[in-house]
Amino acid sequence: MVYLAHNKLMGRDEVLKWMGAADHGSGPEWLDRFLREIRAVARLRHPNIVTAYSAIRLGESIVFGMEYVEGLDLARMVKAKGPLAGGACLQTSPLPGRARAPARA
């Protein structure tokens, strides 16, 4: 689950991605995949990629705190404007070309 939360102490909106065994079963696959995602995002520093703030365990769940970027998500954009042409898809990619290289590192 992904939530938009307001951090009262820091005075900003943040995204909280919450995953737990209750949602994904007892196997380690979901946990391993989520931890890889958290660690990968935590290593990235680029203006086109959200910043990782924190990750904590709460019982059998993990909560990943990230930067919130206000804007229109791709699903709403397609619903409002219809299918995007190939060039427009590249321009709205979540990882533009100049941001992809750090993600592979």
Side-chain angles (χ1 to χ4, degrees):
M1 304 292 275
V2 178
Y3 300 94
L4 175 59
H6 183 74
N7 185 324
K8 290 181 180 180
L9 293 174
M10 298 182 110
R12 67 181 179 197
D13 289 337
E14 299 178 4
V15 172
L16 299 178
K17 187 171 183 180
W18 185 301
M19 293 185 77
D23 302 315
H24 300 282
S26 60
E29 297 83 16
W30 73 269
L31 177 60
D32 292 340
R33 190 170 50 248
F34 194 36
L35 289 174
R36 280 194 310 272
E37 174 186 342
I38 290 169
R39 290 173 183 143
V41 173
R43 287 190 305 266
L44 299 174
R45 297 285 181 270
H46 194 279
N48 293 340
I49 299 174
V50 297
T51 301
Y53 290 149
S54 64
I56 60 171
R57 285 185 185 257
L58 293 175
E60 296 208 9
S61 297
I62 296 180
V63 181
F64 180 27
M66 296 173 269
E67 174 185 16
Y68 170 66
V69 178
E70 189 172 348
L72 190 63
D73 65 43
L74 186 58
R76 289 183 186 156
M77 184 184 300
V78 169
K79 187 174 183 179
K81 298 181 178 187
L84 303 177
C89 290
L90 294 175
Q91 292 174 359
T92 59
S93 169
L95 286 178
R98 61 186 180 278
R100 286 194 189 116
R104 285 189 225 123

